[in-house]
Amino acid sequence: SHDRWALPGVQRIPVSFGENVRGNVYFDPAAKTPLPAVIWLHPYSYSSGYNGGYDVQDTTVYHRLAKEGYAVMAFDQCRFGLRLLEGRDFYGRYPARSRLGRMVHDVQRAVDFLSDGRGASQSELPKVRGDQIYVVGYSLGGAVGLYAAALDGRITGVACFAGFTPLRTDTDQRPT
């Protein structure tokens, strides 16, 4: 279903990086020069992960960005899609860690993969410009992208949509 609404001229290659995180890289195989890269960070989408059931034909973010000339990496974040059960048992396995921290860590490993090739791919990937790696996130993905960009200087920029929530409760005495 990852190719459900693929656009003509966009190729998908399965990849693995970090601690056995699996995903896909989307790109235009006709590209002749190294591509800027985008890491797509999905919203809350428990059953389908980054392959959102909320998409409609011709609007899938990772396909559209690939068509516009980016190499786009997409993967399910911890607790979503193919990694749903990993999230359920997370605090039992890692009582001193956070799932948000794990999500940011996975983004950093995705940057390792795109910039240094640390990981595996099913076939040859396009060359990526290590000086142009961006994160794009919506909802939860936007929040993860903001933290990842703040903590990793290799991330060139971030586009965050509906991802920021104040880190305190909004009250009548202290409104946000």
Side-chain angles (χ1 to χ4, degrees):
S1 64
H2 292 289
D3 298 320
R4 174 176 45 188
W5 290 315
L7 298 173
V10 173
Q11 183 176 349
R12 174 180 64 86
I13 296 181
V15 298
S16 176
F17 62 94
E19 289 75 34
N20 197 32
V21 176
R22 294 172 306 193
N24 292 289
V25 173
Y26 297 83
F27 63 98
D28 180 349
K32 303 292 184 220
T33 60
L35 301 174
V38 168
I39 300 168
W40 163 242
L41 300 170
H42 62 80
Y44 291 96
S45 184
Y46 293 96
S47 62
S48 57
Y50 88 83
N51 189 30
Y54 45 81
D55 294 323
V56 293
Q57 190 167 355
D58 296 331
T59 65
T60 308
V61 172
Y62 42 92
H63 287 129
R64 300 293 292 186
L65 288 169
K67 189 68 175 172
E68 293 298 321
Y70 294 90
V72 183
M73 175 180 272
F75 60 92
D76 294 338
Q77 296 180 80
C78 176
R79 194 175 168 202
F80 299 95
L82 295 174
R83 298 174 68 193
L84 188 64
L85 295 180
E86 179 184 332
R88 182 193 69 189
D89 301 330
F90 185 84
Y91 290 112
R93 294 178 66 194
Y94 309 107
R97 297 183 186 175
S98 75
R99 280 193 292 237
L100 175 62
R102 174 58 194 249
M103 292 177 197
V104 170
H105 173 81
D106 289 341
V107 172
Q108 292 171 323
R109 298 300 72 81
V111 172
D112 290 344
F113 179 79
L114 291 169
S115 62
D116 302 330
R118 290 189 235 165
S121 64
Q122 204 170 66
S123 58
E124 188 173 347
L125 294 170
K127 295 204 181 310
V128 169
R129 291 192 55 173
D131 63 335
Q132 288 190 358
I133 297 176
Y134 304 92
V135 292
V136 175
Y138 175 64
S139 182
L140 172 67
V144 172
L146 285 173
Y147 282 105
L151 296 170
D152 193 326
R154 301 172 298 169
I155 296 173
T156 307
V158 59
C160 170
F161 301 94
F164 181 77
T165 302
L167 299 176
R168 63 181 174 88
T169 303
D170 185 33
T171 65
D172 289 338
Q173 294 79 25
R174 297 186 73 180
T176 13

